[in-house]
Amino acid sequence: RKEVEQDPGPFNVPEGATVAFNCTYSNSASQSFFWYRQDCRKEPKLLMSVYSSGNEDGRFTAQLNRASQYISLLIRDSKLSDSATYLCVARGDGGSQGNLIFGKGTKLSVKP
Amino acid sequence: NAGVMQNPRHLVRRRGQEARLRCSPMKGHSHVYWYRQLPEEGLKFMVYLQKENIIDESGMPKERFSAEFPKEGPSILRIQQVVRGDSAAYFCASSLQPHGETQYFGPGTRLLVL
């Protein structure tokens, strides 16, 4: 079982749509989780951290369910510029805390 | 403030040659992380270094790969006797705090082995 699993997509949605991505992780000891965004042939960029209480940043909402080891990202009112690959990330635990564990990413394409 | 810098951005090597990838962290950051992204794959952690120390090298292949972060100068990821399977994007990240939660990524070096 992969440490962080995501649906690879692609998700093809019209502008203005709401889209949700899900992710599961296998290590129950992981403490920190993130969503990164990666544009084609570019570096990953931190989108937001994910907390159990849920957190919102503008059109983006992230949620963590520790009991189910499940992370979600909701994007409302999609823009063309949201087209990218979204990476679900868990931080390693113990001696591997410097180690970010990336999912393979979910590709989003927002069409006019 | 300059972000994380990596060079070269693109590197072409023939099988058997050596590849040296350089990473300069963000100003003030003394923690550096290297990741590799194979085509159509997610990023995989390779190594975490602090100035003059390797903190975690659990993701480094056992042979041909080495990394350093000297007291002065950039961090270097060195791949000896490259093979076609080494072709990938190599990303460096840096953080202010140890075992940093917030890691800032450089633009990557794309290595192509012919």
Side-chain angles (χ1 to χ4, degrees):
Chain A
R1 184 182 173 187
K2 290 189 173 61
E3 292 188 77
V4 176
E5 289 204 68
Q6 300 181 246
D7 180 346
F11 284 62
N12 297 306
V13 304
E15 269 187 292
T18 295
V19 61
F21 303 139
N22 303 318
C23 163
T24 56
Y25 61 95
S26 60
N27 184 359
S28 58
S30 291
Q31 294 295 311
S32 306
F33 305 91
F34 313 91
W35 284 101
Y36 276 73
R37 169 194 169 129
Q38 186 174 28
D39 291 280
C40 188
R41 301 187 65 77
K42 299 282 190 181
E43 73 271 27
K45 292 187 177 175
L46 179 64
L47 184 64
M48 57 199 309
S49 301
V50 189
Y51 306 114
S52 296
S53 53
N55 49 306
E56 188 173 313
D57 183 1
R59 298 182 293 109
F60 298 83
T61 301
Q63 196 80 44
L64 165 65
N65 183 323
R66 286 192 187 274
S68 303
Q69 294 182 208
Y70 171 98
I71 303 160
S72 65
L73 177 68
L74 183 77
I75 305 175
R76 289 180 298 278
D77 188 23
S78 301
K79 311 291 184 194
L80 296 176
S81 56
D82 293 334
S83 297
T85 298
Y86 289 82
L87 309 175
C88 179
V89 182
R91 189 179 173 200
D93 67 308
S96 297
Q97 286 184 53
N99 171 357
L100 295 181
I101 303 162
F102 285 79
K104 290 174 78 169
T106 299
K107 189 169 182 181
L108 171 66
S109 181
V110 182
K111 307 288 188 186
Chain B
N1 283 331
V4 178
M5 297 174 68
Q6 290 187 249
N7 67 82
R9 296 288 302 276
H10 300 274
L11 183 60
V12 180
R13 285 287 177 265
R14 296 193 182 280
R15 280 178 295 169
Q17 290 184 319
E18 179 178 288
R20 279 183 180 242
L21 287 61
R22 288 176 290 278
C23 169
S24 296
M26 283 182 73
K27 188 176 181 181
H29 289 192
S30 58
H31 303 273
V32 164
Y33 314 80
W34 285 94
Y35 293 82
R36 176 166 66 175
Q37 187 172 31
L38 294 168
E40 306 301 321
E41 294 290 321
L43 277 81
K44 299 288 185 210
F45 169 80
M46 298 181 77
V47 63
Y48 164 28
L49 308 107
Q50 194 179 351
K51 284 283 186 182
E52 299 186 278
N53 288 308
I54 296 174
I55 307 299
D56 179 0
E57 56 181 348
S58 57
M60 285 282 267
K62 295 286 182 273
E63 296 176 348
R64 302 188 298 109
F65 285 72
S66 62
E68 62 176 8
F69 189 15
K71 189 176 179 181
E72 301 292 336
S75 175
I76 307 285
L77 179 68
R78 183 182 177 207
I79 312 172
Q80 294 178 288
Q81 299 174 336
V82 295
V83 301
R84 288 215 173 109
D86 296 333
S87 296
Y90 291 83
F91 290 100
C92 167
S94 74
S95 70
L96 181 62
Q97 302 295 333
H99 301 287
E101 277 206 9
T102 304
Q103 296 184 18
Y104 298 89
F105 282 81
T109 293
R110 279 173 174 73
L111 172 65
L112 176 63
V113 180
L114 300 177

